[in-house]
Amino acid sequence: MRRRTLAREHALKILYQFDVVKRPMDAVMESYWQAEETKDEEIIKYANLLAQGICNQIKDIDQKISDYATNWQIKRMAIIDRNVMRIGLYELQHTKDIPPKVAINEAVELAKKYGDLESSKFVNGILDKIHKKEIVEPQN
């Protein structure tokens, strides 16, 4: 599996713990990596970048997801679904080296692997709406 894909999985697990234990992100990341066998610095660095970046922007990210998830409150969404969307949206808005379609596809794949039967459709629908309305792709 590619390093960035693995990093996204780790970021999802970190964000899940952050949601559940309600501790500071630094403490969550530290305890997560102490228990984890991964020693690949590139994976750790990107997972931490995602987790910390999302934590720093969580109110804006959650508001954006809520704006597009009609009839859904962020706190009522499944923990996996909301954190997968947070990762996807963060990559859409804050990473220049990842094409939007890749960010969405990676989020959908995470939702398929860790979510329930409808998670991937839900994640894809929300992120695709945001992408089409708000993310401007550079013209070739």
Side-chain angles (χ1 to χ4, degrees):
M1 196 178 297
R2 295 185 328 242
R3 283 184 166 135
R4 289 252 171 121
T5 300
L6 289 170
R8 287 179 189 97
E9 287 189 17
H10 288 292
L12 177 62
K13 293 172 186 177
I14 291 167
L15 290 165
Y16 186 95
Q17 286 184 22
F18 179 72
D19 250 5
V20 172
V21 299
K22 308 288 189 219
R23 292 177 53 214
M25 180 55 80
D26 289 341
V28 173
M29 288 189 306
E30 185 178 331
S31 68
Y32 178 82
W33 291 116
Q34 285 176 353
E36 192 52 48
E37 293 179 15
T38 301
K39 301 299 178 219
D40 186 317
E41 285 300 317
E42 190 177 328
I43 292 172
I44 293 168
K45 183 179 175 183
Y46 193 67
N48 287 347
L49 174 108
L50 289 173
Q52 191 64 60
I54 290 163
C55 181
N56 293 342
Q57 303 282 325
I58 199 153
K59 287 183 180 169
D60 293 337
I61 289 170
D62 286 357
Q63 185 60 56
K64 181 76 62 193
I65 291 169
S66 293
D67 290 347
Y68 283 87
T70 49
N71 302 321
W72 278 95
Q73 294 176 340
I74 195 92
K75 66 183 179 203
R76 305 246 347 199
M77 291 177 189
I79 295 174
I80 293 293
D81 294 354
R82 75 172 161 247
N83 282 305
V84 167
M85 284 189 282
R86 286 170 174 162
I87 292 169
L89 182 56
Y90 183 83
E91 286 189 318
L92 283 172
Q93 292 181 320
H94 299 285
T95 57
K96 303 290 183 219
D97 62 330
I98 299 171
K101 292 190 189 309
V102 172
I104 294 169
N105 186 57
E106 288 284 333
V108 168
E109 291 303 315
L110 275 175
K112 284 179 184 175
K113 185 171 183 176
Y114 292 101
D116 65 25
L117 292 173
E118 298 296 315
S119 292
S120 61
K121 292 176 189 171
F122 183 58
V123 166
N124 185 56
I126 303 299
L127 293 177
D128 192 52
K129 271 197 255 181
I130 294 170
H131 171 238
K132 286 179 178 169
K133 292 202 179 212
E134 298 201 18
I135 309 298
V136 179
E137 293 185 58
Q139 299 296 317
N140 293 336

